[in-house]
Amino acid sequence: MRLRDIQKEESISAMAVQIAVEEGLDGLTMNKLAKAAGVSPATIYIYFKDRDDMLLQVAIREEQKMFSETLEGFDPEMSFEDGLRHQWEKRAAYFMADPYRLRFMEQLKNTRFHEEVRKCGQSYSSVLKQFMLNAIANKQLRPLTLEVYWALAYAPLYRLIKFHLNKKGMMGRTFQLNKADFEEALSIVLKGLRPD
């Protein structure tokens, strides 16, 4: 029996993400993945039972990496302004470090794997929900449903990251997310979410 090589498993997973983004989930086959990763198809089956297991395990791994990195140094007891800034900075750094991450995670939201992956993020979601509830209780955030809060607090950041990753903004203009744009967007979001 061959032993698992963690570095090889990471490399295969990273290549799976890249192929899924570039060619779509339907374009990701075990043979294509093996060829791109420079391993035999049999090697992939050391790490994953089949294609579905591979997609699920890669998605869970990506979700857990994002949780780990974006929660590093975060405390749900932070002031709303400090906590949201922390989340924006960590999320931007995480997704901008690898242009495939955000696109891959978005692809999975429209698949049958999404619910399974979401279950793995329960503790992460509960930390962020507690942060939101604390901010409401401390009168730093207007009372909102979780869905409305999430859409208003994070959608502007994700849109800016997408513009940055595509290197194009509105009407095809060249765009690169800079500190001034980041700060302006965060400031407007914070202002809009504060109680009247």
Side-chain angles (χ1 to χ4, degrees):
M1 183 173 163
R2 292 169 63 183
L3 298 175
R4 294 171 76 103
D5 177 334
I6 300 300
Q7 284 185 317
K8 191 173 284 187
E9 186 174 2
E10 291 276 333
S11 174
I12 291 168
S13 295
M15 189 54 63
V17 168
Q18 183 176 333
I19 293 170
V21 169
E22 291 176 353
E23 301 186 32
L25 293 175
D26 290 340
L28 175 57
T29 66
M30 298 300 255
N31 284 335
K32 191 179 289 183
L33 176 58
K35 185 175 181 182
V39 298
S40 73
T43 300
I44 294 177
Y45 289 100
I46 293 170
Y47 305 102
F48 309 106
K49 288 186 293 191
D50 54 31
R51 181 182 177 277
D52 284 354
D53 179 57
M54 182 265 304
L55 273 171
L56 180 60
Q57 296 308 317
V58 169
I60 289 170
R61 178 178 289 129
E62 283 300 313
E63 192 92 343
Q64 288 172 337
K65 276 189 224 171
M66 197 233 351
F67 297 158
S68 175
E69 289 190 31
T70 60
L71 283 181
E72 185 180 329
F74 180 78
D75 182 344
E77 300 296 325
M78 288 175 149
S79 72
F80 182 64
E81 184 171 339
D82 289 345
L84 192 61
R85 173 177 294 282
H86 180 91
Q87 282 296 302
W88 271 46
E89 288 172 351
K90 289 290 191 168
R91 287 164 190 257
Y94 180 78
F95 288 119
M96 289 166 61
D98 181 341
Y100 294 104
R101 287 175 167 163
L102 181 60
R103 292 179 180 123
F104 178 69
M105 292 173 86
E106 285 191 335
Q107 279 181 315
L108 289 170
K109 286 182 181 172
N110 301 313
T111 69
R112 60 192 168 90
F113 302 109
H114 178 66
E115 192 58 32
E116 232 11 74
V117 174
R118 192 190 63 75
K119 286 179 193 171
C120 296
Q122 294 285 347
S123 61
Y124 174 76
S125 295
S126 67
V127 168
L128 292 177
K129 181 179 179 184
Q130 189 58 53
F131 168 67
M132 181 193 90
L133 294 174
N134 290 345
I136 291 170
N138 294 329
K139 300 193 180 346
Q140 299 170 339
L141 171 64
R142 66 179 61 216
L144 301 165
T145 64
L146 186 58
E147 293 77 13
V148 171
Y149 164 70
W150 208 263
L152 297 173
Y154 294 103
L157 172 65
Y158 285 114
R159 184 68 259 169
L160 288 170
I161 292 170
K162 287 179 193 174
F163 285 147
H164 177 85
L165 294 177
N166 292 332
K167 297 183 171 103
K168 285 192 169 60
M170 299 301 294
M171 296 183 279
R173 290 176 8 146
T174 301
F175 180 83
Q176 182 175 9
L177 183 56
N178 59 43
K179 183 106 172 116
D181 290 335
F182 181 94
E183 291 296 333
E184 180 179 32
L186 178 58
S187 173
I188 291 168
V189 167
L190 285 167
K191 183 176 180 183
L193 291 173
R194 287 188 189 108
D196 294 330

